[in-house]
Amino acid sequence: MNTQDKDLKAVEHIRAHQMVEMKGIGYLPRDMIIEILSRLPAKVLCKCRCVSKSWHDLLTRDVEFMTRHVQWSKQKPLLLVRRYISDGIGELNKSKITIELTSIDMQGDVTDKFRKVIDGPVHTFVSCGPLSILCCMYSLYVCNPSIHQVVRVPYHANSRLYNIGFGYLPVSNEYKIVHMFYHSFIGNGKMGCEIFSFKTGEGVTSGSWRGIGDCPFSAWTDEYPVSVNGTIYWALSSGWKDKSILSLDLEKEEFSCISYPIHESKKYNFLEYIGLMSTLCVVGFSAEASTMDIWMLKEKKNKTWAMEYSINLFPLCPKFLVPSDDHSEEILVHMEQRDLICYSLKSQTSRRIGYYRAMKTYNKPCLYYGSLIPMHSSSF
């Protein structure tokens, strides 16, 4: 066999491996199949898993497909809201409670809902990409709402869970749950920190806890944490004066403290912090001026802030921010009028998402995007 024949045979071999046979599609290039299916909503793809074994393997085990699907899903984020259901479970077991999780699109329409029995009320409800955290007093759960999977994170028996943060490191394909806690309420009040890590392909229950020492800043946090570009931030409860933000670099696992950028804080009725355009932002609301000022952390190392936007909200009155995707250019503001306003920093336009009018019983939502990432290692 000459060199030309060998080259032709090699090309045919490569082409054969690039073609995937799937029932209902036939032979198509693998990248074409992935490109087509990755554009479909997770709810539709869940049904497609039952078509055949080849479909199931591609949709639940193929890392390239799941990565591509997440990229498309980011363009259509969803709101996840929760409420408690009275269904008789509490009468049988006082420690159990039924929670209903509802997904809502950016037009305000309900796209999906499901229920899960958990161990008591949720005090921390945060999301990171396609996954969400439900933290009760003594139990912790990781949830993928797209596939209705809620998995309990193993934790020390009878140990109370306090402040929980949740972040993701794309370099290592690793999620990290951060738990901040007091060693004792008597004494110097030092806070300890432990981290639970798990990778996407290994399932939640394959992860484990490990301590990383004490937090050097012994102030308690009173707000939900925010995850931005591999760093988790907490607002520290130190009053209006010298109000600061605690940060934890998830890769280096190192703490630092950042002062708030706003010195004249009395001009604002309240302050909140979120992630926007891959940057930590502090947002100040002034009821008197009907404005929303957005300060951005321009240099993380030097802790330099700059006020980039001042938005006129008149005649609306803001109540709180809804955490958004940290790469997004849109900010979600819940108004006193029970509307959700989506404001685009790029186009400087706003639109209403009136889901609160129909769902007055729901609590503060979090934002996520669809994914078929399984929570159990056996699914891979």
Side-chain angles (χ1 to χ4, degrees):
M1 183 181 294
N2 56 35
T3 304
Q4 186 176 4
D5 291 337
K6 289 182 179 180
D7 291 341
L8 288 173
K9 192 171 183 179
V11 170
E12 291 176 357
H13 180 75
I14 293 173
R15 286 178 176 175
H17 280 76
Q18 289 178 339
M19 306 296 282
V20 179
E21 182 183 13
M22 295 184 68
K23 189 175 181 180
I25 292 182
Y27 284 96
L28 286 176
R30 182 174 179 276
D31 56 350
M32 184 179 294
I33 293 177
I34 290 177
E35 189 65 26
I36 293 171
L37 295 180
S38 63
R39 298 175 182 236
L40 296 176
K43 187 176 181 179
V44 174
L45 292 174
C46 285
K47 298 178 181 179
C48 294
R49 293 180 300 181
C50 303
V51 172
S52 67
K53 185 179 184 301
S54 58
W55 281 64
H56 183 274
D57 290 345
L58 177 69
L59 299 178
T60 61
R61 299 182 181 181
D62 194 292
V63 177
E64 183 182 350
F65 164 76
M66 286 190 288
T67 302
R68 186 63 177 150
H69 180 248
V70 166
Q71 292 173 350
W72 278 105
S73 297
K74 285 182 178 180
Q75 300 180 24
K76 295 182 178 180
L78 298 166
L79 293 167
L80 185 65
V81 290
R82 74 191 193 278
R83 68 169 179 169
Y84 303 116
I85 302 296
S86 178
D87 58 358
I89 295 294
E91 298 177 2
L92 299 175
N93 190 333
K94 296 295 183 181
S95 65
K96 301 290 183 180
I97 193 169
T98 300
I99 189 171
E100 183 178 77
L101 297 171
T102 301
S103 299
I104 302 170
D105 63 22
M106 288 300 152
Q107 284 69 48
D109 298 323
V110 174
T111 62
D112 193 17
K113 65 173 61 178
F114 71 101
R115 296 179 180 182
K116 178 71 176 180
V117 177
I118 59 175
D119 294 333
V122 174
H123 66 70
T124 302
F125 183 54
V126 294
S127 63
C128 179
L131 306 182
S132 300
I133 285 287
L134 303 168
C135 184
C136 308
M137 186 175 293
Y138 296 101
S139 302
L140 178 63
Y141 301 87
V142 179
C143 168
N144 183 344
S146 299
I147 55 177
H148 298 184
Q149 284 190 2
V150 180
V151 177
R152 184 169 180 168
V153 177
Y155 192 65
H156 326 298
N158 300 321
S159 296
R160 185 172 179 177
L161 290 155
Y162 292 95
N163 198 289
I164 295 291
F166 190 35
Y168 176 70
L169 287 175
V171 176
S172 58
N173 192 29
E174 188 177 25
Y175 286 93
K176 290 190 176 184
I177 302 172
V178 181
H179 179 214
M180 306 271 292
F181 61 94
Y182 277 122
H183 292 292
S184 173
F185 286 102
I186 302 174
N188 57 16
K190 282 189 175 181
M191 295 178 67
C193 182
E194 55 187 355
I195 293 179
F196 182 89
S197 304
F198 67 95
K199 292 190 176 182
T200 302
E202 298 178 0
V204 174
T205 54
S206 65
S208 60
W209 290 95
R210 56 186 174 81
I212 63 169
D214 290 338
C215 173
F217 307 96
S218 58
W220 187 240
T221 58
D222 61 350
E223 299 178 32
Y224 282 0
V226 172
S227 177
V228 183
N229 259 0
T231 300
I232 299 179
Y233 298 92
W234 293 265
L236 299 181
S237 301
S238 53
W240 284 106
K241 292 184 178 181
D242 301 323
K243 194 172 177 70
S244 55
I245 297 173
L246 174 67
S247 70
L248 174 64
D249 187 308
L250 291 178
E251 185 175 8
K252 299 178 181 178
E253 297 185 351
E254 295 177 352
F255 286 101
S256 64
C257 194
I258 306 171
S259 297
Y260 261 65
I262 303 164
H263 302 292
E264 299 179 3
S265 56
K266 291 183 179 179
K267 64 183 284 190
Y268 298 109
N269 296 87
F270 63 94
L271 303 171
E272 290 203 34
Y273 62 121
I274 57 171
L276 287 172
M277 295 182 284
S278 304
T279 304
L280 176 68
C281 298
V282 171
V283 183
F285 295 93
S286 171
E288 182 178 352
S290 295
T291 58
M292 177 174 68
D293 295 339
I294 301 178
W295 297 73
M296 306 187 78
L297 184 63
K298 305 301 290 186
E299 293 184 28
K300 183 178 176 181
K301 184 177 181 180
N302 297 325
K303 304 175 183 178
T304 304
W305 296 87
M307 192 180 80
E308 295 291 331
Y309 302 92
S310 185
I311 302 167
N312 186 359
L313 297 175
F314 183 82
L316 300 174
C317 298
K319 188 174 182 181
F320 57 77
L321 295 179
V322 175
S324 57
D325 179 30
D326 61 334
H327 297 286
S328 175
E329 295 181 347
E330 294 182 331
I331 183 170
L332 301 173
V333 188
H334 173 57
M335 300 296 180
E336 291 285 358
Q337 293 85 350
R338 302 196 68 82
D339 274 334
L340 190 66
I341 299 297
C342 180
Y343 185 89
S344 171
L345 299 178
K346 185 176 182 179
S347 63
Q348 297 185 7
T349 57
S350 62
R351 56 188 174 86
R352 292 175 182 264
I353 304 175
Y355 74 97
Y356 270 105
R357 296 185 182 278
M359 300 187 177
K360 296 180 180 180
T361 58
Y362 284 109
N363 297 292
K364 184 176 181 178
C366 63
L367 186 138
Y368 79 101
Y369 42 82
S371 170
L372 296 186
I373 297 175
M375 297 290 91
H376 301 284
S377 57
S378 59
S379 299
F380 280 82

